[in-house]
């Protein structure tokens, strides 16, 4: 027999493992791992732009939105809290393509990777707006919006060039204003498309052509109002760089006063409308006022540029502040509360369905054991017995009537009335005593003689 003696090995308990995980930084708990991953995603990735199709959209009573963004090969869970979704100007629908600005995060209780949406736009408008912002930031970083590059407008223009559509309302407005204010001012029109895919190239070529000919000392570049997509040719980089490179001062007059394009930032002066641009270059008795307006527009442009830069700096500071803001923790707790609320609702609905099924089964069993059938049988038996009782009572009634008739006949045979009917009579005193012999009465007594068909009243004499 061979014996092998092994050394004793102690197996650590769950408490010892937990204590070692607290003292050993290389051992993670699940909670700590999820927290570290969430911080890593939020701090390293920052803000992302994402295009996708909405699915599984849910809007609980808390006001937060939960949805999934997907494409043909992948999907990601998303949350948009009510502090952000109140700025969304449309109602998201399943199947809708959207562009979102979001930050990456992790829902720690489940370990689910998700994104927290800060803004949402329909894909078409959102993509154009994103391209607008990117090009604006790029050109601003290159200094194309700097005031030092702006050319001053000539105080007394000798010739005005107009770059716009030859059939548009903008050209009509410009010509009407110039005709009214300064009919002698020469005008050269450089017709071009102001909408569509080829419009940006044609606008840039018209600006280059005007600079090459040196016919004008100021240019008006613009068109009437429209949607962001209609005005998009004035947001092309080629148009912006051509305007910046122009040696002739350029007035941007695109759309209405509320419409802003990249051309407005690059141009030497931005006019709110084509008519306003015509007023800037035309001379009349109020030319000093026009000069002041030009300075005002320059100041407004400089202020817009300064405000834009300050907004960018503010966004950076706001982002840094947001990363340390307790709102994110509150949002995660609100999301967890929404999840628990929905789980409770599902559990209540499940319990309710089970109760309904149990009630239905009990009702079925009750119907199987219902006394209704027994009652019907008892009613039938009762009806039979009632019929038998009625028959017995009728038979008994017939027998009783027959017996009664026989007794009447017997009574009639011994009845004094029968004797009276044979010619006899009964005499009674006034006191009702029967007179059987003459001595029973005396003179003056009142007598009543009863016959078969009546009575005779008499007096004894």
């Amino acid at each position: 027999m061979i014996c092998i003696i092994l050394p004793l090995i102690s197996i650590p308990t769950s408490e010892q493992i937990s204590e070692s995980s607290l003292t050993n930084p290389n051992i993670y708990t699940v909670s700590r791992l999820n927290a570290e991953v969430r911080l890593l995603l939020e701090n390293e990735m920052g803000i992302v732009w994402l295009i996708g199709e909405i699915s599984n959209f849910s809007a609980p009573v808390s006001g937060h939105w939960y949805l999934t963004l997907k494409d043909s090969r992948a999907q990601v869970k998303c949350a948009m809290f009510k502090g952000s979704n109140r700025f969304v100007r449309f109602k998201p629908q399943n199947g809708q393509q959207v562009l979102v600005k979001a930050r990456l995060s992790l829902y720690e209780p489940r370990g689910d990777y998700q994104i927290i949406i800060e803004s949402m736009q329909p894909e078409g408008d959102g993509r154009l707006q994103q391209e607008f912002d990117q090009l604006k930031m790029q050109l601003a970083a290159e200094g194309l919006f700097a005031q030092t590059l702006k050319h001053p407008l000539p105080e007394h223009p000798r010739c005005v060039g107009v770059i716009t559509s030859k059939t548009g309302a903008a050209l009509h407005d410009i010509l009407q204003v110039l005709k009214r204010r300064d009919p002698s001012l020469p005008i050269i029109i450089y017709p071009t498309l102001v909408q569509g895919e080829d419009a940006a190239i044609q606008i840039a070529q018209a600006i280059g052509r005007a600079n090459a000919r040196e016919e004008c000392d100021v240019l008006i570049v613009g068109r009437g109002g429209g949607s962001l997509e209609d005005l998009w040719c004035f947001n092309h980089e080629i148009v912006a760089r051509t305007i910046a490179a122009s040696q002739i001062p350029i007035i941007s007059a695109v759309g209405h006063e509320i419409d802003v394009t990249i051309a407005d930032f690059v141009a030497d002066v931005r006019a709110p409308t084509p008519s306003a641009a015509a007023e800037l270059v035309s001379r009349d008795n109020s030319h000093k006022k026009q000069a002041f307006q030009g300075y005002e527009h320059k100041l407004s442009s400089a202020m817009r540029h300064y405000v834009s830069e300050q907004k960018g700096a503010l966004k950076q500071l706001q982002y840094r502040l947001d990363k340390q803001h307790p709102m994110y923790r509150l949002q995660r707790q609100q999301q967890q509360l929404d999840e628990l609320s929905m789980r409770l609702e599902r559990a209540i609905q499940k319990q309710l369905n089970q109760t309904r099924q149990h009630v239905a089964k009990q009702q079925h069993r009750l119907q199987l054991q219902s006394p209704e059938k027994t009652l019907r049988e008892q009613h039938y038996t009762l009806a039979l017995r009632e019929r038998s009782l009625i028959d017995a009572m009728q038979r008994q009634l017939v027998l009783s009537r027959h017996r009664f008739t026989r007794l009447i006949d017997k009574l009639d045979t011994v009845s004094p009335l029968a004797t009276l009917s044979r010619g006899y009579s009964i005499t009674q005193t006034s006191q009702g005593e029967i007179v059987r012999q003459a001595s029973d009465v005396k003179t003056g007594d009142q007598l009543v003689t009863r016959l078969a068909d009546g009575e005779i009243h008499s007096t004894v004499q």
Side-chain angles (χ1 to χ4, degrees):
M1 175 184 261
I2 300 175
C3 295
I4 301 176
I5 301 176
L6 298 175
L8 293 175
I9 300 176
S10 61
I11 301 176
T13 64
S14 59
E15 291 80 3
Q16 293 172 337
I17 294 176
S18 177
E19 292 177 359
S20 65
S21 64
L22 295 175
T23 57
N24 189 344
N26 295 324
I27 300 178
Y28 284 77
T29 63
V30 176
S31 300
R32 180 187 165 197
L33 175 64
N34 286 352
E36 294 283 347
V37 173
R38 180 182 62 80
L39 292 175
L40 184 64
L41 287 174
E42 293 179 350
N43 295 333
E44 296 298 328
M45 291 297 294
I47 297 297
V48 295
W49 289 87
L50 190 64
I51 291 178
E53 177 186 331
I54 295 178
S55 65
N56 300 323
F57 179 80
S58 174
V61 294
S62 62
H64 310 314
W65 292 351
Y66 302 101
L67 58 132
T68 300
L69 283 181
K70 66 179 183 179
D71 56 20
S72 59
R73 294 182 296 178
Q75 64 181 15
V76 62
K77 292 183 177 179
C78 310
M80 190 173 191
F81 298 104
K82 62 180 179 181
S84 300
N85 62 33
R86 61 190 178 95
F87 296 106
V88 178
R89 300 305 179 194
F90 65 98
K91 179 65 175 178
Q93 302 289 337
N94 288 329
Q96 184 177 16
Q97 290 284 338
V98 292
L99 172 69
V100 300
K101 176 185 177 184
R103 53 185 174 83
L104 272 68
S105 184
L106 184 82
Y107 183 50
E108 296 181 31
R110 287 200 309 264
D112 286 347
Y113 149 68
Q114 66 178 3
I115 62 173
I116 306 300
I117 300 175
E118 295 184 354
S119 66
M120 179 185 296
Q121 305 175 58
E123 180 187 2
D125 295 344
R127 183 174 296 177
L128 291 179
Q129 186 64 43
Q130 183 183 16
E131 292 178 7
F132 177 89
D133 293 337
Q134 289 177 348
L135 181 59
K136 178 182 173 183
M137 294 178 61
Q138 175 188 341
L139 298 180
E142 295 180 15
L144 265 66
F145 302 162
Q147 291 298 316
T148 56
L149 299 180
K150 307 292 184 183
H151 298 92
L153 296 181
E155 187 174 354
H156 302 289
R158 294 176 290 103
C159 182
V160 177
V162 181
I163 299 177
T164 187
S165 171
K166 63 182 179 180
T167 59
L171 178 60
H172 178 266
D173 294 341
I174 292 172
L175 294 179
Q176 285 291 102
V177 172
L178 293 179
K179 180 180 179 181
R180 173 174 52 84
R181 291 171 58 86
D182 195 353
S184 62
L185 182 63
I187 303 170
I188 297 178
I189 300 173
Y190 301 91
T192 178
L193 293 175
V194 290
Q195 183 176 340
E197 296 181 359
D198 300 330
I201 296 177
Q202 291 195 18
I203 293 171
Q205 290 174 347
I207 296 173
R209 187 160 57 251
N211 277 268
R213 293 181 180 179
E214 298 182 351
E215 301 167 316
C216 308
D217 47 9
V218 65
L219 288 174
I220 298 175
V221 179
R223 59 155 286 167
S227 64
L228 178 62
E229 186 175 2
D230 295 337
L231 306 179
W232 192 248
C233 57
F234 294 94
N235 293 321
H236 274 264
E237 183 176 0
I238 186 174
V239 173
R241 295 192 181 278
T242 304
I243 292 175
S246 174
Q247 297 302 312
I248 302 175
I250 293 180
I251 300 175
S252 175
V254 182
H256 304 298
E257 188 171 359
I258 61 173
D259 298 321
V260 180
T261 64
I262 297 295
D264 295 333
F265 294 106
V266 183
D268 300 295
V269 174
R270 186 244 179 184
T273 62
S275 298
E279 292 182 358
L280 286 175
V281 300
S282 57
R283 295 170 299 203
D284 63 357
N285 295 331
S286 60
H287 64 278
K288 292 183 179 180
K289 181 180 178 180
Q290 292 179 359
F292 176 76
Q293 289 176 343
Y295 296 141
E296 184 181 11
H297 284 298
K298 287 185 179 180
L299 179 61
S300 298
S301 179
M303 287 299 296
R304 283 196 299 270
H305 178 63
Y306 175 75
V307 170
S308 178
E309 289 180 343
Q310 293 301 313
K311 283 184 178 179
L314 179 62
K315 285 183 179 179
Q316 291 295 328
L317 294 175
Q318 184 68 38
Y319 174 68
R320 292 174 58 189
L321 179 63
D322 287 345
K323 289 198 299 185
Q324 304 175 4
H325 201 283
M327 178 184 65
Y328 292 147
R329 181 179 179 184
L330 181 60
Q331 289 175 348
R332 288 192 296 272
Q333 292 176 347
Q334 288 175 336
Q335 184 177 357
Q336 186 177 11
L337 179 62
D338 288 336
E339 181 184 7
L340 293 174
S341 177
M342 289 187 288
R343 287 175 58 189
L344 177 61
E345 184 178 351
R346 289 194 297 268
I348 292 175
Q349 188 63 39
K350 180 179 179 182
Q351 183 65 33
L352 182 60
N353 292 337
Q354 291 177 349
T355 303
R356 287 174 177 171
Q357 293 176 358
H358 178 70
V359 170
K361 290 181 180 178
Q362 295 298 326
Q363 288 179 341
H364 180 66
R365 292 178 59 189
L366 183 61
Q367 289 176 354
L368 294 178
Q369 301 178 8
S370 175
E372 184 178 356
K373 181 178 179 182
T374 304
L375 286 176
R376 287 198 300 268
E377 294 176 352
Q378 294 295 331
H379 278 301
Y380 179 73
T381 303
L382 179 62
L384 291 178
R385 292 182 178 178
E386 183 179 7
R387 183 72 246 174
S388 299
L389 179 60
I390 292 173
D391 293 342
M393 290 177 64
Q394 289 178 346
R395 289 195 300 271
Q396 185 66 33
L397 182 60
V398 170
L399 292 175
S400 296
R401 286 176 177 172
H402 181 66
R403 188 182 303 112
F404 180 69
T405 302
R406 288 169 56 194
L407 290 175
I408 288 176
D409 293 339
K410 290 182 179 181
L411 183 60
D412 284 341
T413 58
V414 295
S415 173
L417 295 177
T419 303
L420 293 177
S421 62
R422 291 196 298 270
Y424 294 94
S425 66
I426 299 174
T427 302
Q428 292 176 311
T429 65
S430 59
Q431 287 77 25
E433 296 178 353
I434 298 174
V435 179
R436 294 182 171 83
Q437 53 190 355
S439 60
D440 291 337
V441 297
K442 60 183 179 297
T443 302
D445 286 346
Q446 297 293 324
L447 299 177
V448 177
T449 302
R450 186 171 181 179
L451 304 175
D453 59 350
E455 293 177 350
I456 297 175
H457 295 268
S458 59
T459 305
V460 177
Q461 293 182 354

